[in-house]
Amino acid sequence: NVRENLWLFARIYGVPTKLVKERIDHMLEVVGLADKADSRVTHLSTGQRQKMNFCRGFITDPRILFLDEPTLGLDVTAARAIRAYLK
């Protein structure tokens, strides 16, 4: 599911276990996917998958992150939320 996918990604990149749940919950709220946290990734729409990928990029708390069209495939409201978070 979405939460497990994000958890695995965070652990691969060395995010401490005690921080992983907090970061996942925060990022899912930011992109509006909190209600889909227990959904299978295969059941997500293209826009929801894009949101999940955005979350994956920020869960590791990177110092530098290169984004190539991070709002591609998102509706206007979600795109605005992502841009606001980036600012």
Side-chain angles (χ1 to χ4, degrees):
N1 65 33
V2 172
R3 184 179 306 281
E4 290 170 345
N5 187 297
L6 295 173
W7 182 87
L8 177 63
F9 185 81
R11 293 300 298 142
I12 287 171
Y13 281 86
V15 177
T17 303
K18 63 182 180 177
L19 293 178
V20 172
K21 183 181 180 335
E22 177 185 324
R23 288 186 184 175
I24 289 172
D25 290 341
H26 173 70
M27 288 308 302
L28 289 175
E29 286 293 328
V30 166
V31 300
L33 272 184
D35 61 326
K36 299 287 185 184
D38 296 319
S39 297
R40 296 182 72 158
V41 175
T42 56
H43 294 146
L44 297 179
S45 68
T46 302
Q48 290 168 332
R49 287 182 192 185
Q50 181 75 348
K51 290 177 184 180
M52 187 189 75
N53 291 332
F54 183 81
C55 289
R56 279 197 333 208
F58 281 92
I59 284 181
T60 59
D61 194 25
R63 290 179 43 192
I64 297 174
L65 184 65
F66 293 97
L67 300 172
D68 182 22
E69 300 185 29
T71 59
L72 184 69
L74 299 180
D75 59 69
V76 175
T77 306
R80 285 183 183 150
I82 298 260
R83 284 190 205 106
Y85 181 79
L86 290 173
K87 286 180 183 178

